[in-house]
Amino acid sequence: MANKLERYQKFLSFMLKYWNSDLVQQTAANAMEEEKMNKERDYDQSPEELVEDLKSMGPTYIKLGQLLSTRPDLLPDAYLNALTELQDDVEPIPYDQVREIVEEELGARISKAFDYFEEEPLASASIGQVHKAKLRSGKLVAVKVQRPDIRKKFMEDLDTLQEVATLAINHSKVARKYAIDDVLEDLRRILMHELNYIREGQNLLTIHENLQSYTNIIVPLPILDYTTGKVLTMEYMEGKKITSISPLRKIENDYSDLVDSLIEAYLQQLVSDGFAHADPHPGNVHLTKEDKIILMDLGMVAQFSPQVREFLLQLLIAVSQDNGEGTAKVIINMSRIEDDASIENFKKTISQLIMDSQNATAEDVQIGKLLLHMNRAAAQNGIHIPVEVNILGKILLNLDQIVVFLAPNFDLKASLRKHLQKLMSQKIKSELRPENFFSVLLEAKKLAENLPERMNKISEKLANNELELKIDAIDEERFTDGFQKVANRITLGLIIAATIIGAAMLMSIPTNFTIAGYPGLAIIFFLIAALGGISLSYVIIFKDKGFRDNKKGKNN
């Protein structure tokens, strides 16, 4: 009970500080469409202050802040940027606790499981910390150990937030507008995935296999025999955080090719594999001495269905080609549209965003930020973009930081166009595989099997004057005219098809009667089919024209 009161007190103190601030008031005004949040201004609390306050609230709120960095409809750009860089470096847990957790999870003493196990951690975060170790086989490994009782703390904080969110949803239009309950549901899902180290080990295996063709991108493999729900053992990879490499090293090396490979690898994950490393911030992307990239910390991954991947491919192609109208069209097609949505205003805004980003380098235009601005424009115009676009924006926003740091003059859009074209070609080839072709044939077979029965039913109902069509606001005479045209053309097709099939069958029957070396009877049938088709076409064309003339005469 005391812990629960403490959690509420901590949360309420945070809310009291921000509830009456002009930052929250601005957010609420934006939700009520009283004012658009498209101008930068000074607020009571700076972005840096908000970041520090979230850190002091604990790991759950740090994760919440990272999630909010993908919501441009909620916060101004300066706060989004600050939250994007929000990292959860915390004080390490004592080695005695680490040893206790490892021995309990692995069922053996550390001294027996490992040749040595360094007491000082390589890194320490809110969920766990990483130690360098060496297996009895001599293999160097990195061991991630989950903090004691961290799952319980997350669940308690999430329950507190859920209770407050439910209250807000029931009494606040702003909370309903921004779907606060959905935000918390996403947070709960993310945390559950990150707390499961067995799942993270499988993520490492999957992405390692998917990216095997990239020789300059490394994903460490897990050591599954030394991995449990709270201990993850993986290959040790020595490198530095991308953002910590020296300026001299950047001057001496051209990282354009490496950045190009990184972009291609992530496009493959997003569009082709549908399984992507969802948190490639600079702290999770390291650079080796050999200038190879290491992807670390795969607790957070994103999965995309085939239909969503299709939309994402179309969206990225349109953006890379500076096609504002095409970009807006793709977003509209994949989104939920409110009844009072301002479609034209949205298209105009997207076109302007795309125009502003033309002919710019990676340092000047960031695709991730561009997508988040599109999300904001959509929210302001009554268009609800799928959460997958937010995830895509977050991934690309993190990649933008790496691209800008390694190669500020890199032509990001040219790289996107090149690799997306390649992915499109691969997709087309994949869809032309025999198994896909056979599925189309099966559908055609079903259509052919059902068509005679359905046509018989239609013709029977027509003969008995029982056919009914339920159509609103239609000109009956005009519809009859159109139906007559369709029926005539079906008749024409059936007659020609039957005659040609009969002639083709006769072609294989030996006969002394020939025309130009071909069976004479077959040639005659071919000619009859041709003449019949031409004659019937002539009658249909002029009969339809006569019907229209009669209709005009009646109207006059």
Short mmCIF file of all heavy atoms in Angstrom, two decimals, residues 132-184:
data_model
loop_
_atom_site.label_atom_id
_atom_site.label_comp_id
_atom_site.label_asym_id
_atom_site.label_seq_id
_atom_site.Cartn_x
_atom_site.Cartn_y
_atom_site.Cartn_z
N LYS A 132 31.40 -8.14 -19.71
CA LYS A 132 32.26 -8.92 -20.59
C LYS A 132 32.68 -10.18 -19.85
O LYS A 132 33.00 -10.15 -18.66
CB LYS A 132 33.49 -8.10 -20.99
CG LYS A 132 34.39 -8.80 -22.00
CD LYS A 132 35.56 -7.90 -22.37
CE LYS A 132 36.51 -8.58 -23.34
NZ LYS A 132 37.67 -7.70 -23.68
N ALA A 133 32.68 -11.30 -20.57
CA ALA A 133 33.05 -12.57 -19.95
C ALA A 133 33.71 -13.47 -20.99
O ALA A 133 33.76 -13.14 -22.18
CB ALA A 133 31.82 -13.25 -19.36
N LYS A 134 34.21 -14.62 -20.52
CA LYS A 134 34.86 -15.58 -21.41
C LYS A 134 34.37 -16.98 -21.06
O LYS A 134 34.40 -17.39 -19.88
CB LYS A 134 36.38 -15.50 -21.25
CG LYS A 134 37.16 -16.33 -22.23
CD LYS A 134 38.66 -16.12 -22.01
CE LYS A 134 39.51 -16.89 -23.00
NZ LYS A 134 40.95 -16.67 -22.74
N LEU A 135 33.87 -17.69 -22.06
CA LEU A 135 33.40 -19.05 -21.84
C LEU A 135 34.57 -20.00 -21.62
O LEU A 135 35.73 -19.68 -21.93
CB LEU A 135 32.56 -19.52 -23.03
CG LEU A 135 31.29 -18.72 -23.34
CD1 LEU A 135 30.60 -19.31 -24.56
CD2 LEU A 135 30.35 -18.70 -22.15
N ARG A 136 34.28 -21.19 -21.10
CA ARG A 136 35.31 -22.20 -20.90
C ARG A 136 35.95 -22.61 -22.22
O ARG A 136 37.10 -23.06 -22.27
CB ARG A 136 34.70 -23.43 -20.22
CG ARG A 136 34.37 -23.22 -18.76
CD ARG A 136 35.62 -23.01 -17.94
NE ARG A 136 35.34 -22.81 -16.51
CZ ARG A 136 36.27 -22.59 -15.62
NH1 ARG A 136 37.53 -22.52 -16.00
NH2 ARG A 136 35.96 -22.40 -14.36
N SER A 137 35.21 -22.44 -23.32
CA SER A 137 35.73 -22.77 -24.64
C SER A 137 36.74 -21.74 -25.14
O SER A 137 37.39 -21.94 -26.16
CB SER A 137 34.59 -22.87 -25.64
OG SER A 137 33.94 -21.61 -25.78
N GLY A 138 36.84 -20.60 -24.44
CA GLY A 138 37.75 -19.53 -24.85
C GLY A 138 37.07 -18.42 -25.63
O GLY A 138 37.70 -17.42 -25.98
N LYS A 139 35.78 -18.57 -25.89
CA LYS A 139 35.04 -17.56 -26.66
C LYS A 139 34.68 -16.37 -25.78
O LYS A 139 34.13 -16.54 -24.69
CB LYS A 139 33.77 -18.18 -27.24
CG LYS A 139 33.01 -17.29 -28.21
CD LYS A 139 31.79 -18.01 -28.75
CE LYS A 139 31.11 -17.20 -29.83
NZ LYS A 139 31.94 -17.04 -31.04
N LEU A 140 34.97 -15.16 -26.29
CA LEU A 140 34.59 -13.94 -25.57
C LEU A 140 33.10 -13.67 -25.80
O LEU A 140 32.61 -13.77 -26.92
CB LEU A 140 35.41 -12.75 -26.06
CG LEU A 140 36.89 -12.71 -25.64
CD1 LEU A 140 37.59 -11.52 -26.28
CD2 LEU A 140 37.02 -12.63 -24.11
N VAL A 141 32.43 -13.31 -24.72
CA VAL A 141 30.99 -13.06 -24.81
C VAL A 141 30.63 -11.81 -24.02
O VAL A 141 31.38 -11.34 -23.16
CB VAL A 141 30.17 -14.26 -24.26
CG1 VAL A 141 30.33 -15.48 -25.15
CG2 VAL A 141 30.55 -14.58 -22.82
N ALA A 142 29.47 -11.27 -24.36
CA ALA A 142 28.86 -10.18 -23.58
C ALA A 142 27.63 -10.75 -22.91
O ALA A 142 26.79 -11.39 -23.57
CB ALA A 142 28.48 -9.02 -24.49
N VAL A 143 27.51 -10.55 -21.62
CA VAL A 143 26.40 -11.12 -20.84
C VAL A 143 25.52 -9.98 -20.33
O VAL A 143 25.97 -9.13 -19.56
CB VAL A 143 26.92 -11.96 -19.66
CG1 VAL A 143 25.75 -12.61 -18.92
CG2 VAL A 143 27.91 -13.01 -20.14
N LYS A 144 24.28 -9.97 -20.79
CA LYS A 144 23.32 -8.96 -20.34
C LYS A 144 22.50 -9.56 -19.19
O LYS A 144 21.87 -10.62 -19.34
CB LYS A 144 22.39 -8.53 -21.47
CG LYS A 144 21.44 -7.41 -21.07
CD LYS A 144 20.34 -7.19 -22.12
CE LYS A 144 20.86 -6.47 -23.32
NZ LYS A 144 19.74 -6.04 -24.22
N VAL A 145 22.50 -8.86 -18.07
CA VAL A 145 21.83 -9.35 -16.86
C VAL A 145 20.71 -8.39 -16.50
O VAL A 145 20.92 -7.18 -16.36
CB VAL A 145 22.83 -9.47 -15.69
CG1 VAL A 145 22.14 -10.05 -14.47
CG2 VAL A 145 24.03 -10.31 -16.09
N GLN A 146 19.51 -8.93 -16.33
CA GLN A 146 18.34 -8.10 -16.02
C GLN A 146 18.36 -7.67 -14.55
O GLN A 146 18.72 -8.45 -13.67
CB GLN A 146 17.07 -8.90 -16.31
CG GLN A 146 15.81 -8.05 -16.35
CD GLN A 146 14.63 -8.86 -16.90
OE1 GLN A 146 13.68 -9.13 -16.18
NE2 GLN A 146 14.72 -9.24 -18.16
N ARG A 147 17.99 -6.42 -14.33
CA ARG A 147 17.97 -5.89 -12.96
C ARG A 147 16.97 -6.64 -12.09
O ARG A 147 15.90 -7.03 -12.57
CB ARG A 147 17.61 -4.40 -12.98
CG ARG A 147 18.71 -3.53 -13.52
CD ARG A 147 18.31 -2.06 -13.59
NE ARG A 147 19.47 -1.26 -13.95
CZ ARG A 147 20.35 -0.77 -13.10
NH1 ARG A 147 20.19 -0.98 -11.81
NH2 ARG A 147 21.39 -0.07 -13.52
N PRO A 148 17.28 -6.81 -10.81
CA PRO A 148 16.35 -7.52 -9.92
C PRO A 148 15.04 -6.75 -9.75
O PRO A 148 15.04 -5.53 -9.61
CB PRO A 148 17.13 -7.62 -8.61
CG PRO A 148 18.16 -6.53 -8.67
CD PRO A 148 18.51 -6.39 -10.12
N ASP A 149 13.93 -7.47 -9.83
CA ASP A 149 12.59 -6.94 -9.59
C ASP A 149 12.18 -5.86 -10.60
O ASP A 149 11.21 -5.12 -10.38
CB ASP A 149 12.47 -6.35 -8.17
CG ASP A 149 12.69 -7.40 -7.09
OD1 ASP A 149 12.30 -8.56 -7.32
OD2 ASP A 149 13.26 -7.06 -6.04
N ILE A 150 12.89 -5.74 -11.73
CA ILE A 150 12.56 -4.69 -12.68
C ILE A 150 11.20 -4.93 -13.33
O ILE A 150 10.44 -4.00 -13.60
CB ILE A 150 13.67 -4.54 -13.76
CG1 ILE A 150 13.43 -3.29 -14.61
CG2 ILE A 150 13.75 -5.77 -14.64
CD1 ILE A 150 13.52 -2.00 -13.85
N ARG A 151 10.87 -6.20 -13.59
CA ARG A 151 9.56 -6.51 -14.17
C ARG A 151 8.43 -6.05 -13.25
O ARG A 151 7.45 -5.45 -13.70
CB ARG A 151 9.46 -8.01 -14.43
CG ARG A 151 8.12 -8.44 -15.06
CD ARG A 151 8.08 -9.96 -15.16
NE ARG A 151 9.08 -10.44 -16.10
CZ ARG A 151 8.86 -10.63 -17.40
NH1 ARG A 151 7.65 -10.38 -17.90
NH2 ARG A 151 9.81 -11.08 -18.18
N LYS A 152 8.60 -6.32 -11.95
CA LYS A 152 7.58 -5.91 -10.98
C LYS A 152 7.42 -4.39 -10.96
O LYS A 152 6.30 -3.87 -10.94
CB LYS A 152 7.97 -6.43 -9.59
CG LYS A 152 6.99 -6.05 -8.49
CD LYS A 152 7.48 -6.55 -7.13
CE LYS A 152 6.55 -6.09 -6.01
NZ LYS A 152 7.06 -6.49 -4.69
N LYS A 153 8.55 -3.66 -11.00
CA LYS A 153 8.49 -2.19 -10.97
C LYS A 153 7.79 -1.66 -12.22
O LYS A 153 6.99 -0.73 -12.14
CB LYS A 153 9.90 -1.62 -10.87
CG LYS A 153 10.58 -1.89 -9.55
CD LYS A 153 12.03 -1.42 -9.55
CE LYS A 153 12.73 -1.77 -8.24
NZ LYS A 153 14.17 -1.40 -8.27
N PHE A 154 8.10 -2.24 -13.37
CA PHE A 154 7.44 -1.81 -14.60
C PHE A 154 5.93 -2.05 -14.52
O PHE A 154 5.13 -1.18 -14.90
CB PHE A 154 8.01 -2.58 -15.80
CG PHE A 154 9.25 -1.96 -16.39
CD1 PHE A 154 10.34 -2.75 -16.74
CD2 PHE A 154 9.35 -0.60 -16.61
CE1 PHE A 154 11.49 -2.20 -17.28
CE2 PHE A 154 10.50 -0.03 -17.14
CZ PHE A 154 11.56 -0.83 -17.47
N MET A 155 5.55 -3.22 -14.05
CA MET A 155 4.13 -3.55 -13.99
C MET A 155 3.39 -2.61 -13.04
O MET A 155 2.26 -2.18 -13.32
CB MET A 155 3.94 -5.01 -13.53
CG MET A 155 4.41 -6.05 -14.54
SD MET A 155 3.58 -5.91 -16.15
CE MET A 155 4.81 -5.02 -17.11
N GLU A 156 4.01 -2.28 -11.92
CA GLU A 156 3.38 -1.37 -10.96
C GLU A 156 3.20 0.03 -11.57
O GLU A 156 2.12 0.64 -11.44
CB GLU A 156 4.22 -1.29 -9.68
CG GLU A 156 4.18 -2.56 -8.85
CD GLU A 156 5.15 -2.52 -7.66
OE1 GLU A 156 6.02 -1.63 -7.63
OE2 GLU A 156 5.03 -3.38 -6.77
N ASP A 157 4.24 0.52 -12.23
CA ASP A 157 4.13 1.84 -12.87
C ASP A 157 3.09 1.83 -13.99
O ASP A 157 2.32 2.78 -14.15
CB ASP A 157 5.49 2.27 -13.43
CG ASP A 157 6.43 2.78 -12.34
OD1 ASP A 157 5.93 3.16 -11.27
OD2 ASP A 157 7.65 2.81 -12.58
N LEU A 158 3.07 0.75 -14.76
CA LEU A 158 2.10 0.65 -15.86
C LEU A 158 0.67 0.59 -15.33
O LEU A 158 -0.24 1.19 -15.90
CB LEU A 158 2.39 -0.59 -16.71
CG LEU A 158 3.60 -0.49 -17.66
CD1 LEU A 158 3.88 -1.85 -18.29
CD2 LEU A 158 3.34 0.55 -18.75
N ASP A 159 0.48 -0.13 -14.23
CA ASP A 159 -0.86 -0.19 -13.63
C ASP A 159 -1.30 1.19 -13.16
O ASP A 159 -2.47 1.58 -13.32
CB ASP A 159 -0.87 -1.19 -12.47
CG ASP A 159 -0.75 -2.63 -12.94
OD1 ASP A 159 -1.00 -2.88 -14.13
OD2 ASP A 159 -0.38 -3.49 -12.11
N THR A 160 -0.37 1.93 -12.55
CA THR A 160 -0.70 3.30 -12.11
C THR A 160 -1.08 4.17 -13.30
O THR A 160 -2.10 4.89 -13.27
CB THR A 160 0.52 3.93 -11.38
OG1 THR A 160 0.85 3.12 -10.26
CG2 THR A 160 0.19 5.34 -10.92
N LEU A 161 -0.27 4.11 -14.36
CA LEU A 161 -0.56 4.90 -15.55
C LEU A 161 -1.89 4.48 -16.19
O LEU A 161 -2.64 5.30 -16.69
CB LEU A 161 0.58 4.75 -16.56
CG LEU A 161 1.89 5.47 -16.22
CD1 LEU A 161 3.00 5.04 -17.16
CD2 LEU A 161 1.71 6.98 -16.28
N GLN A 162 -2.16 3.17 -16.17
CA GLN A 162 -3.40 2.67 -16.78
C GLN A 162 -4.62 3.18 -16.02
O GLN A 162 -5.63 3.57 -16.64
CB GLN A 162 -3.39 1.14 -16.78
CG GLN A 162 -4.53 0.52 -17.56
CD GLN A 162 -4.46 0.86 -19.03
OE1 GLN A 162 -3.48 0.58 -19.70
NE2 GLN A 162 -5.51 1.49 -19.55
N GLU A 163 -4.54 3.21 -14.70
CA GLU A 163 -5.66 3.72 -13.91
C GLU A 163 -5.92 5.19 -14.20
O GLU A 163 -7.08 5.62 -14.37
CB GLU A 163 -5.37 3.52 -12.42
CG GLU A 163 -5.37 2.06 -11.98
CD GLU A 163 -4.92 1.90 -10.53
OE1 GLU A 163 -4.89 2.91 -9.81
OE2 GLU A 163 -4.60 0.76 -10.13
N VAL A 164 -4.84 5.96 -14.28
CA VAL A 164 -4.98 7.39 -14.57
C VAL A 164 -5.50 7.59 -15.99
O VAL A 164 -6.35 8.45 -16.25
CB VAL A 164 -3.63 8.11 -14.37
CG1 VAL A 164 -3.75 9.57 -14.79
CG2 VAL A 164 -3.19 8.01 -12.92
N ALA A 165 -4.99 6.79 -16.94
CA ALA A 165 -5.42 6.92 -18.33
C ALA A 165 -6.90 6.59 -18.49
O ALA A 165 -7.62 7.27 -19.23
CB ALA A 165 -4.58 6.00 -19.22
N THR A 166 -7.36 5.56 -17.80
CA THR A 166 -8.79 5.19 -17.87
C THR A 166 -9.65 6.33 -17.35
O THR A 166 -10.69 6.67 -17.95
CB THR A 166 -9.04 3.92 -17.04
OG1 THR A 166 -8.22 2.85 -17.55
CG2 THR A 166 -10.51 3.51 -17.11
N LEU A 167 -9.22 6.94 -16.25
CA LEU A 167 -9.95 8.09 -15.70
C LEU A 167 -9.96 9.25 -16.70
O LEU A 167 -11.00 9.90 -16.90
CB LEU A 167 -9.29 8.52 -14.39
CG LEU A 167 -10.01 9.59 -13.57
CD1 LEU A 167 -11.34 9.06 -13.05
CD2 LEU A 167 -9.14 10.05 -12.40
N ALA A 168 -8.82 9.48 -17.33
CA ALA A 168 -8.72 10.59 -18.30
C ALA A 168 -9.59 10.33 -19.52
O ALA A 168 -10.27 11.24 -20.01
CB ALA A 168 -7.27 10.78 -18.71
N ILE A 169 -9.59 9.10 -20.01
CA ILE A 169 -10.40 8.76 -21.20
C ILE A 169 -11.88 8.97 -20.92
O ILE A 169 -12.64 9.44 -21.77
CB ILE A 169 -10.14 7.29 -21.61
CG1 ILE A 169 -8.74 7.13 -22.20
CG2 ILE A 169 -11.18 6.80 -22.60
CD1 ILE A 169 -8.54 7.78 -23.54
N ASN A 170 -12.30 8.65 -19.70
CA ASN A 170 -13.72 8.77 -19.34
C ASN A 170 -14.16 10.22 -19.16
O ASN A 170 -15.36 10.52 -19.27
CB ASN A 170 -14.01 7.98 -18.06
CG ASN A 170 -13.89 6.49 -18.28
OD1 ASN A 170 -14.06 6.01 -19.40
ND2 ASN A 170 -13.58 5.75 -17.22
N HIS A 171 -13.21 11.12 -18.87
CA HIS A 171 -13.60 12.49 -18.52
C HIS A 171 -12.94 13.58 -19.37
O HIS A 171 -13.23 14.75 -19.17
CB HIS A 171 -13.28 12.77 -17.03
CG HIS A 171 -14.03 11.90 -16.08
ND1 HIS A 171 -13.55 10.67 -15.65
CD2 HIS A 171 -15.23 12.07 -15.48
CE1 HIS A 171 -14.43 10.13 -14.83
NE2 HIS A 171 -15.45 10.95 -14.69
N SER A 172 -12.08 13.20 -20.29
CA SER A 172 -11.35 14.22 -21.06
C SER A 172 -11.43 13.94 -22.55
O SER A 172 -11.05 12.86 -23.02
CB SER A 172 -9.88 14.27 -20.62
OG SER A 172 -9.13 15.08 -21.50
N LYS A 173 -11.92 14.94 -23.27
CA LYS A 173 -11.99 14.82 -24.74
C LYS A 173 -10.59 14.81 -25.33
O LYS A 173 -10.33 14.16 -26.35
CB LYS A 173 -12.81 15.98 -25.31
CG LYS A 173 -13.09 15.86 -26.79
CD LYS A 173 -14.00 16.97 -27.27
CE LYS A 173 -14.29 16.82 -28.76
NZ LYS A 173 -15.18 17.90 -29.25
N VAL A 174 -9.67 15.55 -24.71
CA VAL A 174 -8.29 15.60 -25.18
C VAL A 174 -7.66 14.21 -25.10
O VAL A 174 -6.98 13.75 -26.02
CB VAL A 174 -7.46 16.61 -24.36
CG1 VAL A 174 -5.99 16.54 -24.75
CG2 VAL A 174 -7.99 18.02 -24.56
N ALA A 175 -7.88 13.52 -23.97
CA ALA A 175 -7.32 12.18 -23.80
C ALA A 175 -7.87 11.22 -24.84
O ALA A 175 -7.14 10.37 -25.38
CB ALA A 175 -7.62 11.66 -22.39
N ARG A 176 -9.17 11.35 -25.15
CA ARG A 176 -9.76 10.49 -26.18
C ARG A 176 -9.22 10.85 -27.55
O ARG A 176 -8.99 9.97 -28.39
CB ARG A 176 -11.28 10.62 -26.15
CG ARG A 176 -11.92 9.99 -24.92
CD ARG A 176 -13.43 9.87 -25.08
NE ARG A 176 -14.08 11.18 -25.17
CZ ARG A 176 -14.48 11.88 -24.11
NH1 ARG A 176 -14.28 11.39 -22.89
NH2 ARG A 176 -15.08 13.04 -24.26
N LYS A 177 -9.03 12.13 -27.80
CA LYS A 177 -8.52 12.59 -29.10
C LYS A 177 -7.15 11.97 -29.39
O LYS A 177 -6.88 11.53 -30.50
CB LYS A 177 -8.41 14.12 -29.09
CG LYS A 177 -7.70 14.74 -30.29
CD LYS A 177 -8.58 14.79 -31.51
CE LYS A 177 -7.88 15.51 -32.66
NZ LYS A 177 -8.71 15.60 -33.86
N TYR A 178 -6.29 11.95 -28.38
CA TYR A 178 -4.94 11.44 -28.57
C TYR A 178 -4.80 9.96 -28.23
O TYR A 178 -3.69 9.43 -28.25
CB TYR A 178 -3.95 12.26 -27.72
CG TYR A 178 -3.68 13.62 -28.30
CD1 TYR A 178 -3.83 14.76 -27.52
CD2 TYR A 178 -3.27 13.77 -29.61
CE1 TYR A 178 -3.57 16.02 -28.04
CE2 TYR A 178 -3.02 15.02 -30.14
CZ TYR A 178 -3.16 16.14 -29.36
OH TYR A 178 -2.92 17.38 -29.88
N ALA A 179 -5.90 9.28 -27.92
CA ALA A 179 -5.89 7.84 -27.66
C ALA A 179 -4.80 7.47 -26.65
O ALA A 179 -3.91 6.65 -26.93
CB ALA A 179 -5.72 7.05 -28.95
N ILE A 180 -4.87 8.07 -25.48
CA ILE A 180 -3.85 7.85 -24.46
C ILE A 180 -3.78 6.36 -24.07
O ILE A 180 -2.71 5.83 -23.78
CB ILE A 180 -4.15 8.69 -23.20
CG1 ILE A 180 -4.19 10.19 -23.56
CG2 ILE A 180 -3.12 8.44 -22.12
CD1 ILE A 180 -2.91 10.71 -24.14
N ASP A 181 -4.92 5.69 -24.08
CA ASP A 181 -4.91 4.26 -23.74
C ASP A 181 -4.13 3.45 -24.76
O ASP A 181 -3.45 2.47 -24.40
CB ASP A 181 -6.35 3.74 -23.62
CG ASP A 181 -7.20 4.10 -24.84
OD1 ASP A 181 -6.80 4.99 -25.61
OD2 ASP A 181 -8.29 3.51 -25.00
N ASP A 182 -4.16 3.84 -26.04
CA ASP A 182 -3.38 3.14 -27.05
C ASP A 182 -1.88 3.35 -26.84
O ASP A 182 -1.07 2.45 -27.07
CB ASP A 182 -3.77 3.63 -28.46
CG ASP A 182 -5.16 3.17 -28.86
OD1 ASP A 182 -5.67 2.24 -28.23
OD2 ASP A 182 -5.72 3.76 -29.81
N VAL A 183 -1.51 4.56 -26.42
CA VAL A 183 -0.10 4.85 -26.14
C VAL A 183 0.41 3.92 -25.03
O VAL A 183 1.50 3.33 -25.14
CB VAL A 183 0.09 6.32 -25.72
CG1 VAL A 183 1.53 6.57 -25.28
CG2 VAL A 183 -0.28 7.26 -26.86
N LEU A 184 -0.39 3.78 -23.98
CA LEU A 184 0.02 2.92 -22.87
C LEU A 184 0.04 1.45 -23.28
O LEU A 184 0.88 0.67 -22.81
CB LEU A 184 -0.90 3.11 -21.67
CG LEU A 184 -0.76 4.45 -20.94
CD1 LEU A 184 -1.71 4.51 -19.76
CD2 LEU A 184 0.67 4.65 -20.45
#
